[in-house]
Amino acid sequence: MADSNLTEYVTLVSNDGFEFKILRSAACLAGAIKNSLDPTYGFKEGSDNRVTLPTINGVTLEKVCEYLYYNQKYAESKDAPDMEIPPELCLELLIAADYLDV
Amino acid sequence: MPIHQGLHGDEVDFENIWGAIASAFREIHTKNASRLSYEELYRFAYRIVLKKKGEDLYLRVRQFEHEWLSNEVRGSIQALFSPNVLASPQSLGGTTTNERRVAGEKFMKGLKQAWGDHQVCMSMLADVLMYMDRVYCQDNRRPSIYTAAMMLFRDDILKTPTSDVEGRLVLDLLTHVILDQIQMERGGDVIDKHLIKSCVYMLEGLHEDDQESEELRLYTASFEVEYLETSRVFYRQEAELLLRESDAGGYCKHARRRIYEEEERCKSTLLEATSAKIQKVVEDELIKNRIHELVEMESGVRFMIDNERLEELNLIYDLNTRVDDKKTELTRAIQKRIVDMGTDANNAAIAASQAPATTADAGEKGKSPAQEKNINMQTVAAIRWVEDVLHLKDKFEKIWRDSFQSDNLLQTALTRSFADFINSPTFPRSSEYISLFIDENMKKGIKGKTEMEIDSVLEKAIVLLRYIQDKDLFERYYKKHLCRRLLMNKSISNEVEKQMISKMKIELGNNFTLKLEAMFKDMTISEELTSGFKHHVDGLGEKDPKRIELTINVLTSMTWPLETMGGTGDEEGKRPKCNFPTAIDKIKRGFEKYYNQKHSGRQLTWLANMGSADIKAVFPRVPSKDGSFKERRHDLNVSTYGMVILLLFNDLPAGQHLTFEEIQAQTNIPHSDLIRNLQSLAVAPKTRILIKEPMTKDVKPSDRFSFNEGFNGKFVKIKVGVVSSGNKVESDRERRETEKKNDDSRAFCIEAAIVRIMKQRKELPHQQLVLETLSQLATQFKPEVNMIKKRIESLIEREYLERIDGASLDSYRYLA
């Protein structure tokens, strides 16, 4: 139903109004985002290509997106460089990861 | 819900949130998801689980699905139960096949739709409830919500009765409808295979129990059992009908088509896993339980063989192979047919040879031309037999190659059957006939044939030889026939003879051909001797214009079956010496002297009954019938005896005569030989060189003979044939002699074998000794056990062996 709507990029929205345009393939590495966008299900997110995440703030979501790209880039390689994570974000990120099923 | 509430906010209002989730689920089930936010639903469920209300949520969802299936879905399925679907094949009352098919398809379509919807919705729900599956279900070992919902479909839809009054379950109805559709297809209808396959996938995806065990899939546990059973009944009935109404070939074709169809059906309509099982059912019902009847049908294997139905034979081979690695039934039928046909050939040969045999035996002394013909007929019968057998062999070889895929087991069976009838105790002449067949080909058959053709003839003979059990008897006949061919120069080609022997050598081993090769060697040495002697005589200087040329064959008496050549073997040893005319006697002595110089201590025995002589004869001028009046010269080729007799008349003044008794007294030729030679010289119309008085066919002692001055032959060269010189079938009397001789020589072979075995083993029980003796002699012949016993007795008498006293089994000990 949403086949024609299958864009290359999708938008992730944080609870403080930041929008992140991110490659669909990277975004779908997160289980919850993937499900929400599944074209066969026809949820609202799928037809809008836009996922609003009211539990995640902009700073955290930025880091999440960075990680999704990072993950996509180094998925195949063995010696990936460490990703820099500021200590103050650690807890927020863990909660977001559990929620998004990354 | 306030949007800015964090995930870990305080208490959750479960009932409220569930209310929102449940109404969203209803939207999903009615395909109205587009207004719903996945994230929101996910977040609700996430929070509930996070607040340790996972169990409540799980149970609520299950309850929700149970109610949904029972209230919404079941009703729509039940709406499809038209009387045409519910009608069982037994009570067809009023419904046509087509009506049933359409109704069945409608029902299956509805079910397929409900199942498909349920699957899609449940995977959406499962994704929304992902966090519950991940955390609650795993921690509490619950089946995932998706699996749980599938079980609900099984219980709330498939395992509910079709109606309140009928106990039948929807699942049974589905099975029944599918089977009904398959039955329609077997009957030639076109059905919706994809639709059925979808239903089959559903049954495969569901399990009988809640543990999801592999072997308890609904398909295997419920449908497949039923399917195999109804198919069994169907094919059992079909087999019965077909056996009654079709011929064997048609039956085979049908059976094979059915097997193929079932295989295809498993691929297109059912599951491939069923393929082997249903094929087993078809094979059991159409083949295994019927193969005996099938093979024995009037149009069965026998008919196929007789009419060269190669394709049908191939079918029946294929079918039999499917159900029986050993192909017992087919093998049995084939063997029986071979033995039957072989026995027919045997009987034909016996019939052809026996009718005249009675007269042949009666007139043993003098053989009239009529009897001669009979003997010839027997020889023809012998060769006919060999050709029949070869024909049979070719026929079955072809069937074996073209229809039985050169199957090893069947080849063994074929070989055994051929050996069976060739060595049948009611037909003792196979060895002799095969040897005669070779003889005939060596003398005439191969004339003008290419090497390839000759080789194939020889190969055929070898093929038959392979079947012969009593190889020693064959060797005896072959030696006898070869002896005649060699001494009388009857062979067309020495090369081919040698080729044959080397073939036999490959087939039967060195021992077998040893003596045959020795015969050839004797022939070669004799040629050298002849030319050596000629050279020697030339060297003596005296050029005698009347000199007689001598060609000599020196034969080793052990190697050559000379007694069979003499015709009257009983007189062996005291064979009367023939009186040779002086001129001959002189050259004979000359050769003896020459031979003794070369090999001292050897004794030469002259076998006058086996030689021949070329004589230049001059017949004086006498008026002949055509008015010519001149001298006539003829080169006469006569037997040695004939030459001796004719030379007597050289010394006789013209017009004089000799009586039979006088001739016998002067030549000392054995009585029967003399009669035969005189018959050919004085009775046979074309070679009447002597005149006999009185002119009768039989020769009596008082008969008088004189030189036929008026003899007039058409050709310059005249061959005076002596009665009975070719290789013929033996008369019964000869045959008994041959067998007796053969038995005698077998006795030696058996004794030798026993001694060899005992020498090695020292002590042996009786039974084992007999077995080992049999196996040692297997390549030569198959001795009777009785004969072995007798030889053991005889060896004990002669103190080669002794019985071991007190042994539990009869045992023997070797005495050095």
Side-chain angles (χ1 to χ4, degrees):
Chain A
M1 58 189 93
D3 266 15
S4 54
N5 243 343
L6 219 58
T7 52
E8 194 180 356
Y9 287 87
V10 295
T11 311
L12 305 183
V13 184
S14 72
N15 59 6
D16 44 5
F18 288 99
E19 295 193 1
F20 297 87
K21 296 227 181 234
I22 173 173
L23 266 179
R24 179 186 293 269
S25 56
C28 282
L29 290 173
I33 298 177
K34 177 174 178 288
N35 287 338
S36 69
L37 291 170
D38 193 314
T40 59
Y41 292 169
F43 283 114
K44 198 165 168 296
E45 287 91 340
S47 46
D48 295 350
N49 292 318
R50 180 185 176 91
V51 184
T52 312
L53 301 163
T55 60
I56 303 172
N57 63 39
V59 182
T60 314
L61 192 54
E62 185 183 11
K63 207 66 190 167
V64 168
C65 291
E66 189 189 337
Y67 174 74
L68 289 173
Y69 274 121
Y70 166 87
N71 195 341
Q72 188 178 43
K73 186 176 175 189
Y74 295 108
E76 308 277 296
S77 58
K78 278 170 191 160
D79 44 1
D82 287 341
M83 203 178 108
E84 209 175 292
I85 297 175
E88 64 276 16
L89 269 180
C90 273
L91 183 64
E92 293 282 324
L93 275 176
L94 272 175
I95 294 169
D98 184 59
Y99 179 70
L100 293 175
D101 189 23
V102 179
Chain B
M1 290 297 296
I3 273 185
H4 289 283
Q5 192 181 352
L7 287 170
H8 298 266
D10 312 317
E11 284 308 295
V12 290
D13 181 352
F14 180 79
E15 289 306 328
N16 239 339
I17 298 181
W18 168 249
I21 293 178
S23 80
F25 281 4
R26 248 185 298 277
E27 297 288 319
I28 290 176
H29 272 301
T30 48
K31 301 181 185 171
N32 269 327
S34 60
R35 284 183 295 114
L36 300 172
S37 159
Y38 171 86
E39 197 276 340
E40 189 183 2
L41 293 170
Y42 175 73
R43 181 153 34 85
F44 289 163
Y46 183 86
R47 289 199 64 201
I48 290 176
V49 175
L50 213 57
K51 294 297 171 191
K52 306 277 181 241
K53 302 262 195 223
E55 172 138 350
D56 293 342
L57 180 61
Y58 187 81
L59 295 176
R60 285 289 179 92
V61 173
R62 222 168 58 174
Q63 182 60 27
F64 174 85
E65 283 304 317
H66 168 66
E67 279 164 15
W68 181 265
L69 287 170
S70 307
N71 300 333
E72 308 290 329
V73 183
R74 197 188 301 166
S76 70
I77 297 292
Q78 271 168 349
L80 301 168
F81 298 158
S82 65
N84 285 340
V85 179
L86 295 168
S88 67
Q90 282 82 35
S91 57
L92 284 175
T95 64
T96 65
T97 314
N98 200 43
E99 281 166 352
R100 272 202 339 275
R101 199 192 67 226
V102 171
E105 281 178 0
K106 205 173 149 207
F107 164 64
M108 286 193 290
K109 265 181 198 147
L111 201 55
K112 176 191 164 189
Q113 181 69 43
W115 169 248
D117 289 350
H118 187 62
Q119 275 181 309
V120 171
C121 292
M122 280 324 294
S123 66
M124 286 170 81
L125 257 59
D127 279 350
V128 166
L129 300 169
M130 180 168 66
Y131 197 70
M132 181 182 79
D133 270 346
R134 223 170 80 201
V135 176
Y136 166 74
C137 292
Q138 273 190 11
D139 289 357
N140 295 279
R141 296 180 176 274
R142 292 270 194 174
S144 72
I145 193 65
Y146 183 84
T147 311
M150 294 302 122
M151 288 173 191
L152 287 173
F153 190 86
R154 175 194 70 202
D155 296 336
D156 291 332
I157 302 295
L158 296 181
K159 293 229 167 172
T160 53
T162 46
S163 70
D164 300 334
V165 282
E166 214 185 291
R168 191 151 58 146
L169 302 182
V170 175
L171 175 63
D172 297 338
L173 181 67
L174 175 64
T175 304
H176 162 76
V177 167
I178 297 178
L179 291 179
D180 197 27
Q181 302 262 330
I182 288 177
Q183 203 50 46
M184 290 173 199
E185 190 185 40
R186 281 181 184 144
D189 279 357
V190 177
I191 57 170
D192 188 342
K193 296 175 184 173
H194 285 291
L195 180 58
I196 298 178
K197 186 123 193 168
S198 311
C199 292
V200 163
Y201 278 142
M202 174 180 77
L203 294 179
E204 196 210 9
L206 293 172
H207 295 255
E208 186 72 33
D209 60 353
D210 290 351
Q211 274 71 54
E212 306 231 294
S213 48
E214 200 51 41
E215 61 275 19
L216 279 177
R217 290 175 183 277
L218 280 186
Y219 175 80
T220 330
S222 145
F223 173 77
E224 198 181 66
V225 178
E226 193 77 4
Y227 173 57
L228 295 178
E229 190 45 44
T230 51
S231 300
R232 185 176 295 280
V233 173
F234 168 72
Y235 283 118
R236 185 175 304 147
Q237 285 164 353
E238 186 172 72
E240 229 151 74
L241 191 75
L242 273 174
L243 280 175
R244 240 180 300 137
E245 293 183 352
S246 166
D247 63 0
Y251 185 97
C252 291
K253 278 187 200 119
H254 186 82
R256 187 134 100 175
R257 204 188 79 219
R258 281 300 196 198
I259 291 171
Y260 171 77
E261 277 176 6
E262 288 299 341
E263 196 183 333
E264 281 303 302
R265 178 166 300 119
C266 285
K267 279 185 198 151
S268 65
T269 315
L270 304 176
L271 295 180
E272 293 212 39
T274 310
S275 194
K277 296 178 199 167
I278 184 67
Q279 283 197 41
K280 171 97 173 46
V281 168
V282 183
E283 284 166 2
D284 280 356
E285 293 304 330
L286 287 189
I287 311 171
K288 201 171 175 184
N289 299 341
R290 307 288 179 175
I291 185 81
H292 183 77
E293 290 168 73
L294 182 61
V295 166
E296 295 295 320
M297 270 171 95
E298 206 173 300
S299 55
V301 169
R302 182 186 160 155
F303 173 84
M304 296 176 190
I305 292 172
D306 293 355
N307 294 286
E308 299 246 337
R309 299 284 180 94
L310 294 178
E311 209 172 305
E312 292 179 5
L313 282 167
N314 176 253
L315 277 171
I316 214 163
Y317 166 81
D318 183 65
L319 296 183
N320 203 177
T321 314
R322 281 171 181 276
V323 297
D324 177 10
D325 279 344
K326 295 204 187 82
K327 296 152 281 254
T328 323
E329 283 295 332
L330 178 62
T331 310
R332 200 183 44 72
I334 294 280
Q335 286 193 305
K336 181 165 182 305
R337 194 65 199 131
I338 293 178
V339 172
D340 281 355
M341 291 175 94
T343 309
D344 284 351
N346 287 354
N347 290 340
I350 291 172
S353 65
Q354 235 158 30
T358 42
T359 49
D361 242 6
E364 197 71 45
K365 279 185 199 163
K367 283 173 182 167
S368 63
Q371 284 163 334
E372 184 77 353
K373 237 182 213 164
N374 283 343
I375 298 281
N376 271 332
M377 269 168 60
Q378 292 192 43
T379 310
V380 169
I383 286 159
R384 177 73 192 278
W385 176 83
V386 170
E387 273 161 6
D388 283 353
V389 174
L390 283 175
H391 179 72
L392 214 57
K393 167 90 183 152
D394 283 348
K395 182 183 174 76
F396 281 95
E397 195 95 317
K398 184 166 190 262
I399 292 176
W400 175 72
R401 203 179 48 240
D402 293 353
S403 300
F404 300 158
Q405 296 164 17
S406 302
D407 184 281
N408 272 341
L409 275 172
L410 278 168
Q411 188 180 35
T412 327
L414 291 186
T415 309
R416 199 173 328 119
S417 305
F418 273 97
D420 276 356
F421 81 77
I422 289 176
N423 295 307
S424 155
T426 56
F427 188 71
R429 294 208 160 186
S430 43
S431 298
E432 184 184 1
Y433 281 4
I434 293 171
S435 178
L436 264 176
F437 170 76
I438 301 172
D439 187 65
E440 184 67 19
N441 273 300
M442 288 295 183
K443 290 194 302 206
K444 294 178 205 150
I446 58 171
K447 198 175 275 179
K449 284 189 177 162
T450 65
E451 254 176 59
M452 291 270 282
E453 286 167 328
I454 292 173
D455 198 65
S456 91
V457 169
L458 300 189
E459 204 46 58
K460 280 177 181 172
I462 290 288
V463 162
L464 291 183
L465 192 50
R466 230 170 262 163
Y467 295 125
I468 289 279
Q469 209 166 50
D470 298 333
K471 304 261 185 345
D472 59 339
L473 200 61
F474 174 79
E475 186 191 357
R476 194 167 289 273
Y477 282 114
Y478 196 78
K479 250 158 75 178
K480 178 179 149 191
H481 294 155
L482 176 65
C483 172
R484 283 236 166 98
R485 289 202 297 275
L486 289 180
L487 293 183
M488 297 182 178
N489 266 329
K490 289 273 174 71
S491 254
I492 294 176
S493 155
N494 255 344
E495 274 314 301
V496 179
E497 289 277 4
K498 282 180 183 155
Q499 224 175 306
M500 186 72 212
I501 286 178
S502 69
K503 272 184 194 295
M504 288 197 262
K505 196 172 184 170
I506 293 166
E507 196 59 37
L508 303 167
N510 241 344
N511 264 346
F512 186 84
T513 52
L514 216 56
K515 288 192 172 170
L516 301 179
E517 284 171 306
M519 285 165 78
F520 274 98
K521 208 168 151 201
D522 275 356
M523 292 306 284
T524 324
I525 293 175
S526 299
E527 263 171 45
E528 284 166 17
L529 269 175
T530 303
S531 68
F533 180 62
K534 192 176 165 210
H535 195 72
H536 167 77
V537 173
D538 285 348
L540 292 180
E542 35 174 312
K543 276 276 179 191
D544 185 352
K546 279 185 176 177
R547 205 179 72 210
I548 300 162
E549 299 229 356
L550 178 70
T551 307
I552 194 107
N553 288 320
V554 180
L555 314 175
T556 318
S557 58
M558 287 300 288
T559 318
W560 294 71
L562 296 179
E563 67 280 1
T564 50
M565 295 294 297
T568 47
D570 333 321
E571 299 163 35
E572 201 186 348
K574 47 181 178 170
R575 189 189 296 281
K577 274 190 188 144
C578 163
N579 293 333
F580 288 106
T582 14
I584 307 291
D585 207 40
K586 193 173 149 208
I587 197 160
K588 174 185 153 211
R589 278 202 305 276
F591 180 77
E592 277 173 353
K593 204 170 139 200
Y594 171 77
Y595 189 75
N596 272 325
Q597 280 170 357
K598 296 201 125 187
H599 314 273
S600 64
R602 289 197 192 171
Q603 169 113 36
L604 284 176
T605 309
W606 294 81
L607 299 172
N609 56 327
M610 289 165 63
S612 65
D614 291 323
I615 309 172
K616 286 193 167 67
V618 182
F619 295 87
R621 301 160 189 248
V622 285
S624 57
K625 277 174 215 159
D626 57 8
S628 64
F629 185 74
K630 55 184 176 194
E631 228 174 47
R632 298 168 311 284
R633 288 172 181 278
H634 286 289
D635 290 343
L636 303 178
N637 176 278
V638 295
S639 69
T640 308
Y641 283 146
M643 178 266 296
V644 172
I645 295 166
L646 286 180
L647 286 185
L648 286 180
F649 290 89
N650 258 3
D651 303 334
L652 206 67
Q656 295 279 8
H657 57 75
L658 290 168
T659 65
F660 180 84
E661 279 157 334
E662 280 168 336
I663 295 175
Q664 192 173 23
Q666 285 188 42
T667 59
N668 202 21
I669 297 173
H671 188 80
S672 62
D673 285 335
L674 184 57
I675 287 175
R676 284 196 291 129
N677 276 288
L678 283 173
Q679 268 180 333
S680 52
L681 286 172
V683 179
K686 280 180 188 162
T687 57
R688 207 168 284 172
I689 299 158
L690 298 179
I691 294 171
K692 174 173 163 308
E693 291 172 63
M695 189 51 230
T696 52
K697 276 188 176 174
D698 292 333
V699 177
K700 293 195 185 72
S702 56
D703 286 351
R704 286 167 300 171
F705 296 91
S706 55
F707 186 55
N708 179 9
E709 292 183 335
F711 177 79
N712 198 353
K714 278 181 190 156
F715 307 100
V716 176
K717 286 193 175 178
I718 293 169
K719 184 166 169 57
V720 183
V722 178
V723 178
S724 164
S725 60
N727 285 330
K728 302 274 158 61
V729 166
E730 292 178 314
S731 67
D732 286 352
R733 196 178 67 94
E734 288 170 315
R735 163 134 200 103
R736 278 192 294 277
E737 266 171 38
T738 311
E739 271 177 0
K740 189 178 164 298
K741 280 189 198 111
N742 206 44
D743 280 350
D744 290 348
S745 75
R746 278 184 183 190
F748 286 119
C749 289
I750 295 172
E751 282 187 4
I754 294 174
V755 170
R756 266 199 304 277
I757 293 164
M758 290 306 290
K759 200 167 182 175
Q760 194 192 359
R761 301 298 199 94
K762 303 300 178 214
E763 286 178 14
L764 215 56
H766 174 80
Q767 208 53 39
Q768 204 178 339
L769 177 57
V770 171
L771 282 180
E772 287 197 22
T773 310
L774 281 171
S775 80
Q776 256 207 15
L777 295 171
T779 54
Q780 300 171 48
F781 58 94
K782 188 166 171 255
E784 283 170 40
V785 175
N786 233 351
M787 205 163 174
I788 300 179
K789 273 188 193 156
K790 275 193 190 142
R791 285 357 287 170
I792 295 177
E793 292 296 332
S794 154
L795 285 170
I796 291 173
E797 261 169 45
R798 284 178 285 158
E799 301 195 331
Y800 281 97
L801 305 177
E802 66 172 4
R803 284 207 167 76
I804 301 175
D805 290 327
S808 55
L809 294 163
D810 267 355
S811 301
Y812 308 106
R813 179 181 294 130
Y814 180 67
L815 299 174

